[in-house]
Amino acid sequence: MDVELRHIHKWFGAVHANDDISLRVRAGTIHGLLGENGAGKSTLAKILSGYITRDSGEIILDGRLVDIRTPTDAIRAGIGMLHQDPLDFPPLTVLENFMLGQAGRRLWLDQRGARRMLASLAERFHFMLNPEAHVSELTVGERQQLEMLRLLALGARVLILDEPTTGISAEQKTLLFAALRQLAEEGKAIIFVSHKLEDIEALCDEVTVLRHGRVVGTVALPCPAEKLVAMMFGKVLAEPSKPHTTQDDIAFELHDAVIRTELFDLHIAHLAVHRGEVIGLAGLEGSGQQAFLAACAGVERLARGTLRINGQDMTHRPYRDYLAAGVCYVPADRLRDGLIPGLTIREHVALRAPRGFFVDRTYTQQLAEAAIRTFNIRGTPESRVEQLSGGNQQRTQLALMPSPLSVLFMEHPTRGLDIESTLWVWQQLIARCQQGTAIVFASSDLDEVLRYSDRVLVFSGGRVSPPLSTTALTVDQLGHMIGGKF
Amino acid sequence: MSSEQILIVLATAIASATPLVFAVIGETISERAGVINLSAEGTIMFCAMVGFAAALATGSVWLGFIAAAVVGALIALIVAFNAITLRQSQIAVGFVLALLFSDLSSFLGVPIVRIPGPTVPAFPLPLLSELPIVGRLLFSSDVVVYASYVLIVLTWVFFYRTRAGLTLRAIGEQPNAAFARGADVVRLRYLYTLIGGALMGIAGAAFSLDFKAGWSFRHTGGYGWIALAIVIFGGWNPLRAAFGAYLFGVLQSLASVAQDQFQGVPTQVLNVAPFALMIVFLVFTSAGWLDRLLMHAPAKVRRRVLQALHTAPPAALGKPFVQD
């Protein structure tokens, strides 16, 4: 199905999220929608799929004007969208999720028919989905596969994917891309929303770049990366380089440790992290990286073993002792574990103020303003954190980190951030290393792990590898090890 | 205890659990749709009074049940309007209604206190009631009790085998995702809250017209609160919730047997014991305690046990649906 958008406008309060956007996607092609966070990509995708109602503009499918106001309208017109956070039902089974919302008027659930349909669709794209598994047990990638099959079963001829490669494994990404190419060959139109240049380059036939709610231009691929970056940001960006910052003394040490997760026990014979060193944790999501970081940062208890920070035994000490020793933990779920939704940036700053019964308004205001300036946060001291974009939330978390800092534990430091914010975050982290902070971070982006780490721990199949130097390591080797070949 | 005594304890348990079954299933339906009807205590008590009064006035117990169901649904309508349309706190509204209607039942029920009235006639099921043991236990009571069996099974079938039941579970989990799949979240939440309220009303009438026939001051005191607890114990599953109701019934009928055995113990202690034991059960099945208890068990065993026992409330329980 050919899709055409004409002069789409959407306002959120005073923000012009989509400013006169016109776009054309031909059937049988994969069309990229590229732009940094807040460029208006997701808004446009949601308008086309009925989750947001446009203020003005026309949607034309196969030359016919259609009015899409709800997701039901969209799916009836043949448009389905995969959301960045899958819009599904975690406690229900795969099969139940698949059946929910399928057409039909009968009273009883047709489990047998649905199971057959799911199996045949899954086979077409080489997806492995157990219909009896609960969605809460699935990885993001598998939930995405399920949602895609569900939309296809509903007869979707246009598929919109919003940041689909965030949080999925390299293998799942290969599978996803193959499936999307297959769908395009069958004549479906695919709209691929992403801020990741390399994904767009690897997959799309054409790309439309958005900036500040407007179309910068549409180009056919392949096209030089510098040109796309320049279109995205209106300027050329430079990658920060990682200097050698490792010092001799040890900041953090684990001895004969056992870390308990819900599924397995992780054993670490010995690990010593030096001041200024960066350790990357690689592995499929849920391989124990999160439990490892939480235990090292003192949030969870070690089941066995000893833990030293700056030579001092910290095993089983309360979390506040870890904080006092200069440990900081930055979790992946920014709004659940990191920041406090409902509180403003100023209130977050005030919470960190060490003593005093009353909140000193002027003082915290000054601190918050200074943090906003230094960390380039797009917001005011009175912005509530949940109103900030992902990049600005991460900047706020970095702004709240204490100084000096001995060891920093981070999960997915740049997940969901655009290129500019990603580079900026690493600039800040490298600056910390130069001051002697040791950083241990987990990431599902192998390039990120290799580029910024001095040494890598690979998590696979309930085990942790010994630390490996990154100087002689390639992405391919790392990928194999994640597959379980130490 | 002799086998005869055990049989009596179990038979009493089933009789005393029957009103609770209606209440627990009603609340389960409502909460599965995402609305907590915290007014259970008030609804059950008030509807017990209304049901008895209506039966007394009309001479028909069935009209009493219908009146109770209608009033129960009307109280649920207040909850639904506040929770769904006005998006107010379901806890606050439900709590106030619980207090209001339990007091109102005492106030309006004064004229009918301790008056003999109609009760549901016994109706042993032909053939089935002649079965050994099971016949006496399950099939020798009345239509209300049989209806509660049917309700448990029907609710389970509805939840897990019908399209509408799947949608019901969906709107209580992720209303936004359910809306995206074409469910009319607001209308369905109203519908299920009213059905839940009607069942709680029937629970009230099942007290005043059947199990504890008649009306007196605070006739059903405590049953609404225990029903809310049993819904949690039952993990929002109709079979497990019904099991919880019967378990409470057993505890209660054991307590009354114990009264004869332990003459020295004040009756108040034994009357309250089932409530306290229920709390112990609830605490024990909550995952936090179990986690600590299983801390040193092998990972595989731990995972199995937790999976079997751990239940989570519907993710959107108590949260208003705001379409974005």
Side-chain angles (χ1 to χ4, degrees), chain B residues 15-308:
Chain B
S16 71
T18 297
L20 260 184
V21 167
F22 284 103
V24 160
I25 298 281
E27 183 70 26
T28 300
I29 291 173
S30 180
E31 292 195 9
R32 273 285 186 166
V35 180
I36 310 171
N37 188 344
L38 208 67
S39 75
E41 176 76 4
T43 303
I44 293 172
M45 205 181 286
F46 191 73
C47 292
M49 188 276 290
V50 167
F52 185 67
L56 205 59
T58 60
S60 157
V61 284
W62 310 122
L63 286 177
F65 272 96
I66 290 169
V70 169
V71 172
L74 285 177
I75 298 172
L77 183 63
I78 304 175
V79 174
F81 181 70
N82 273 285
I84 302 166
T85 306
L86 299 183
R87 293 174 192 155
Q88 296 297 301
S89 157
Q90 302 179 6
I91 306 290
V93 171
F95 210 87
V96 168
L97 289 177
L99 297 176
L100 174 70
F101 279 97
S102 46
D103 285 351
L104 214 53
S105 71
S106 304
F107 174 63
L108 297 177
V110 170
I112 54 166
V113 169
R114 293 186 206 288
I115 292 180
T119 55
V120 177
F123 181 70
L125 285 177
L127 299 176
L128 282 176
S129 60
E130 278 149 43
L131 292 172
I133 304 174
V134 185
R136 264 186 66 196
L137 206 57
L138 300 178
F139 303 115
S140 305
S141 36
D142 59 51
V143 180
V144 175
V145 175
Y146 310 144
S148 71
Y149 305 155
V150 175
L151 179 69
I152 296 165
V153 177
L154 269 190
T155 309
W156 186 87
V157 170
F158 180 75
F159 274 17
Y160 299 104
R161 288 289 177 269
T162 67
R163 298 164 52 96
L166 183 56
T167 309
L168 160 62
R169 287 185 285 148
I171 59 174
E173 283 299 339
Q174 304 285 340
N176 276 310
F179 173 75
R181 298 180 186 205
D184 188 342
V185 177
V186 168
R187 224 184 65 193
L188 289 174
R189 281 193 166 176
Y190 262 99
L191 175 70
Y192 292 121
T193 310
L194 292 193
I195 290 176
L199 286 171
M200 273 185 227
I202 290 174
F207 269 108
S208 61
L209 295 173
D210 195 9
F211 168 58
K212 275 165 82 180
W215 171 252
S216 59
F217 180 61
R218 302 194 79 78
H219 194 62
T220 67
Y223 278 87
W225 300 124
I226 205 71
L228 290 170
I230 290 173
V231 171
I232 297 168
F233 171 85
W236 294 268
N237 173 318
L239 294 187
R240 281 184 56 169
F243 172 74
Y246 289 123
L247 184 66
F248 183 74
V250 169
L251 290 176
Q252 262 198 322
S253 84
L254 276 177
S256 63
V257 171
Q259 248 157 43
D260 303 332
Q261 312 262 326
F262 309 99
Q263 297 288 347
V265 182
T267 52
Q268 286 87 342
V269 172
L270 293 167
N271 281 339
V272 172
F275 291 88
L277 279 172
M278 237 15 232
I279 293 171
V280 174
F281 272 112
L282 278 178
V283 169
F284 192 73
T285 49
S286 74
W289 270 78
L290 225 58
D291 259 346
R292 230 169 282 169
L293 213 69
L294 291 169
M295 182 97 174
H296 297 287
K300 255 193 181 159
V301 177
R302 199 167 65 217
R303 195 175 157 217
R304 288 258 168 82
V305 176
L306 284 180
Q307 255 181 359

